[in-house]
Amino acid sequence: MIESRQFNENQQKAIDWNDEPLLVIAGPGSGKTAVITARIVRILEESKGEYFRILGLTFTNKAAAEMRTRVHELAPSEINRLRLTTYHSFAAEFLRQNGSHIGLKPDFEILPNDADRLALIEESIKIARKESSYEIPDYFDSKCLLPIISFLLGFCITPDDAEEKLKNSNINFYKSIALIYKNYWERLTNVNALDFQSLIAKAIFLFKKVPFLAKKLRIAYRHLLVDEFQDTNYAQYEFLRCLATPNTKSLFVVGDDDQTIYEWNGANNKRFQSLRSDFNMKEIQLTQNYRCPRLVIEMANSLISNNHERYIGKKPLIAIKEGNNFQQNVKIFRFNDIKDELRWVAKDISTIPENELGNCVVLSRTNRLLKLIKDELDSNNVKSYLLSNKHEFSSHPLRMLFSILNLMIAKDNIKALNILSSSFFSIENIEVDLDLVITRASGNGSNLLAIWIEEILLKNELSDNSRVFFIEGIKPLFNSLNYKDFSNSLFSWYTNNEHNNAQLHHNMFDLFLEEKEIWIGLYNEISNKFIEGEIGLHQFLQEVNLSSKAPRKHPNAVSCFTIHSSKGLEFKYVYLIGMIENQLPSFNAVKKGDNSREMEEERRSCFVALTRTVNNLTMTFSNRAFDRSQSPSRFLTEMNITL
C-alpha cells in the first residue's frame, strides 16, 4: 500500500474521496498519475473479496499500460478487477461483445486509414446515384464528403437524424449527403468493419438502442475514472455520459483546462462546464508543481493568466522545486536568421553528454521546423527522432504476418487474403490463383488461409525453407492460436529465406528489421496492459489496429516533437524553437485576433511547452524566417520577458 506521507493535503484528499462525483483539476507536474494510481490501489485494497471492477479511461495505450503496471506492483492480487484502457479500445470491446444487436459480427475489422474509408464512401455515392431520386452533383466524390461524414460521426448523428442536422447547418444538397451518409453507415455494417469515428458513434447508438447494456456495465464497473479529460471530444463525452448516470457517485475525473490543445480533434475547455453541471461535481485543485524550476512556473503562470476564458476559480501553479537562477534554468536567444537559429540549437545540443540526449527535446508548433532541425542534428552526428503518423505496416513480411493473423479470426476476409498473396509474391515471386482459392473455400466451407496454403504447397518453385515454414511454422496458429510463436517463426523464415540473402542490407530488409522491432514493442506494450496473462488473438489484433506503427525512439536520441505530441511528457532539457509571430502563435490565431478562441488555444499550447521542463529551458527566435522579416512571439512579452 502507498504511504500517505508522500502526498500533499489535496492529493491525499483526492485519493480518499468517497460517495460523490469528483473533478480533480491537476496542473502540469502535480502528480496526477500517482494520485490516480493510489486511489485505485486504495479502492481495491479496501474491497478485497468483492466482485465489482474499476474502469479507467485514458487516451493512449502507453499511459494505460504504465498505470496498470504501477497498480500491479502495489496490489497484485486484485489486478484482475481493474480495466485500464482507451475510449476506442473499450468501445471496440463493447461492440465485439454486443454488436449483434445492431448487425455487427464479433470479428469486425477496424479500418486503420482514410484510404479504406474513401473506398467505402465511393461505393456509397454510387449506390445513391443508382437508387436516389435526389440530385447527386457530379463533383461529389469521397474526398469532398469525407470531412462531412467525419463531422456527422464525430457528433454521433444517426442516419435518421442526419438530414435535419445538415439542413440546420446550411449545407447544400443536404438530402443527398444524408442519403450517402446512410449508405456509408450501412456499408460499414455490411462489410463488417468500423472506422475510428464510428467505433464511438455506434457504441453510443447501441447504448441508446439497448439501455440494459449500459446498466449492466454500471453494475460491473462500480468505479469510473477518467484521465486527461481536457482531451475529450464530443463523442467521447457522450460515451462517458452513457457509462455514467447524472447521479453517479463514484465518477472520478482528472484534467486541466489550461492544457486543452486538441480543439482540432473536438476537444473544448468549455466541456469542463458541461461536466460540472451534468454531474454536479465537487472539485479539488492540484496546484503544486514538482517538475519545473521556479522561474519556469512563474513564466507559465504569467502567460496563461492572459486567457480570459479560463475557469474563474482557477488557482496559479505553485513551484516546489528551487531554482531562480535565470542563466541556469532559462535561456533565451535571438538570431538574425532561422538558419542561424537552427544551426546554433543543433550545436548546443551536441554538447550534451550522449547518455543524456534521451532526456532532451526540441519543441516546435509545426513539423516544418522540426524537419529542418533534424537535418541540422544529423549534420552534427546527433541521433534524433521525429515522430510520424503511421497506421499500417509497410514491409512485406509484416503485412503477410498481419494478414495471416486476421485470416485466423475472420476466415473469409478476402481483403486480408489479397494482402497475404501480394506480399508473398513480392518475397518469393510465386503467384496463387485467388479466384480458385475463394471458390474452393466457399465450396467446402474451408478457411481461406488453409486453402491458400494448400495451393502454395503445390508450387514446385517453392523454396525448401518456405515449404518447411508453411508445414511446420504455422502449426502454432492452427493448433492453439499461439500468435507469439508463429510471429517468431515468420521472422526466422524471412531472415533465412534464400531470396533475401542477396539483399540483407537492402532498404526493404532494413524496413523489415525496423517493423519487426515495432511489432515486438507493440506486443510488449499490449501485454503490459493485460498483466493477468496472455491475451487472445482477437483482443491483440484489436489493440494493434488501434496503435501507431511508427518507429520507436532510440533511448539516446533527441526527441523532435510538435507541442501537441509532447503533452503528458517531461524532459530534462527543453528547446522551444521558432518563438515568432505566425509560428507560435500560429498565422490563423494571429489573423483571428488577440481575444479569439484560436489565440487562447495557442497560448495554452505554449503553456504546455514550457511545463515540459524538468531542468533547463532554452527558447529561440529569429528576426528573419522563410524569406520574411519576423516579430518575436507576443507570448515572450506575456511571460514578462524583456526583449
Side-chain angles (χ1 to χ4, degrees), residues 99 255 258 266 386 479 514 592 596 609:
D258 284 338
L386 181 62
N479 291 342
E514 179 182 276
K592 293 284 185 178
S596 65

Side-chain angles (χ1 to χ4, degrees), residues 114 117-118 121 142-157 177 181 184 195-198 201 233 235:
D114 282 348
R117 302 182 70 205
L118 291 170
I121 295 173
S142 56
K143 288 185 178 179
C144 78
L145 292 181
L146 179 61
I148 300 177
I149 288 176
S150 296
F151 164 79
L152 291 169
L153 288 172
F155 282 91
C156 310
I157 308 299
I177 296 173
Y181 177 64
Y184 181 76
D195 56 24
F196 286 167
Q197 286 96 336
S198 61
N233 61 29

Side-chain angles (χ1 to χ4, degrees), residues 415-430:
K415 177 185 172 184
L417 179 68
N418 276 310
I419 294 173
L420 167 61
S421 195
S422 63
S423 299
F424 185 69
F425 176 78
S426 298
I427 295 171
E428 285 229 12
N429 200 30
I430 297 176

Side-chain angles (χ1 to χ4, degrees), residues 23 42 61 72 86 121 147 164 176 201 258 272 316 350 353 362 393 405 480 559 580 589:
L23 170 61
R42 178 189 67 79
N61 282 322
H72 184 256
T86 64
I121 295 173
E164 183 179 356
S176 300
D258 284 338
F272 282 86
S350 70
V362 181
F393 293 107
L405 294 181
S480 61
S559 298
I580 52 177

Side-chain angles (χ1 to χ4, degrees), residues 317-355:
L317 295 174
I318 301 170
I320 300 301
K321 288 175 65 174
E322 293 301 320
N324 284 313
N325 188 322
F326 189 93
Q327 295 300 322
Q328 177 184 343
N329 297 119
V330 180
K331 298 177 182 178
I332 302 169
F333 293 96
R334 184 174 198 157
F335 298 87
N336 287 327
D337 188 83
I338 189 73
K339 294 177 182 177
D340 298 329
E341 177 182 345
L342 298 177
R343 283 194 207 101
W344 181 88
V345 169
K347 192 71 175 176
D348 196 59
I349 290 174
S350 70
T351 64
I352 297 174
E354 184 176 358
N355 63 348

Side-chain angles (χ1 to χ4, degrees), residues 77-134:
S77 64
E78 301 295 315
I79 194 66
N80 289 337
R81 294 170 56 208
L82 173 65
R83 180 81 168 96
L84 275 171
T85 187
T86 64
Y87 282 94
H88 284 92
S89 291
F90 191 72
E93 182 181 327
F94 172 67
L95 287 169
R96 292 200 191 281
Q97 293 173 352
N98 304 285
S100 59
H101 292 284
I102 55 173
L104 281 172
K105 299 175 185 176
D107 60 352
F108 65 77
E109 180 184 5
I110 297 175
L111 305 179
N113 57 45
D114 282 348
D116 295 317
R117 302 182 70 205
L118 291 170
L120 280 181
I121 295 173
E122 287 293 348
E123 292 178 25
S124 303
I125 295 171
K126 288 179 183 177
I127 294 170
R129 285 203 167 105
K130 184 178 180 180
E131 301 177 354
S132 171
S133 59
Y134 304 137

